[in-house]
Amino acid sequence: MVHLFSLLIFVGFMGTWLVSVIPEDVTKVVQTYILASVLGAVVVQAIVSLKQLRATIIAIVVSASVVFLLVPAIPSLAFFSTAIAVIATAVLAWFLRDRSARLVDDSEDAQLADTHNR
């Protein structure tokens, strides 16, 4: 409860006040660079921790395609570009996943279950 209350005060009220005091030009520049740096850090952390090369390559190709091909061709989709990239990456990563790795896991699970049943 203390944590939520302090978030409400410091982030909710004081953060809103602080943003209203800062000039609009500075706020736009900060939003542009902070959003990109936070998302970049999250992406790098996800790539390093998941260690899935195939999904990483799919995500890079889809993102580059959306940014450099789709949005310039259809500018009205710029607002939805992040959602398009995320959904397309998830769908392609699902359909292009390595199915042989899962089959090995299933056979090992079946062997373990058979061993426990004896």
Side-chain angles (χ1 to χ4, degrees), residues 1-42:
M1 197 65 173
V2 171
H3 180 69
L4 292 176
F5 187 69
S6 65
L7 278 175
L8 177 68
I9 291 174
F10 292 116
V11 176
F13 297 130
M14 293 179 72
T16 304
W17 170 79
L18 183 62
V19 169
S20 70
V21 173
I22 296 174
E24 187 176 335
D25 294 337
V26 174
T27 304
K28 286 183 181 180
V29 170
V30 168
Q31 285 175 342
T32 301
Y33 291 113
I34 288 179
L35 179 62
S37 65
V38 169
L39 289 178
V42 169

Side-chain angles (χ1 to χ4, degrees), residues 51-60 89 92-93 95-100:
K51 298 178 184 171
Q52 294 182 356
L53 182 62
R54 183 175 296 184
T56 302
I57 292 171
I58 291 169
I60 290 170
T89 299
L92 286 173
F95 285 111
L96 299 175
R97 71 188 185 277
D98 186 11
R99 291 183 177 93
S100 64

Side-chain angles (χ1 to χ4, degrees), residues 27-109:
T27 304
K28 286 183 181 180
V29 170
V30 168
Q31 285 175 342
T32 301
Y33 291 113
I34 288 179
L35 179 62
S37 65
V38 169
L39 289 178
V42 169
V43 166
V44 169
Q45 183 179 7
I47 290 170
V48 170
S49 65
L50 290 178
K51 298 178 184 171
Q52 294 182 356
L53 182 62
R54 183 175 296 184
T56 302
I57 292 171
I58 291 169
I60 290 170
V61 169
V62 168
S63 299
S65 299
V66 168
V67 169
F68 297 118
L69 299 175
L70 184 65
V71 171
I74 309 171
S76 60
L77 292 178
F79 184 74
F80 303 105
S81 62
T82 302
I84 292 168
V86 168
I87 293 168
T89 299
V91 169
L92 286 173
W94 175 260
F95 285 111
L96 299 175
R97 71 188 185 277
D98 186 11
R99 291 183 177 93
S100 64
R102 184 64 190 146
L103 293 175
V104 171
D105 291 342
D106 287 342
S107 65
E108 289 174 1
D109 291 341

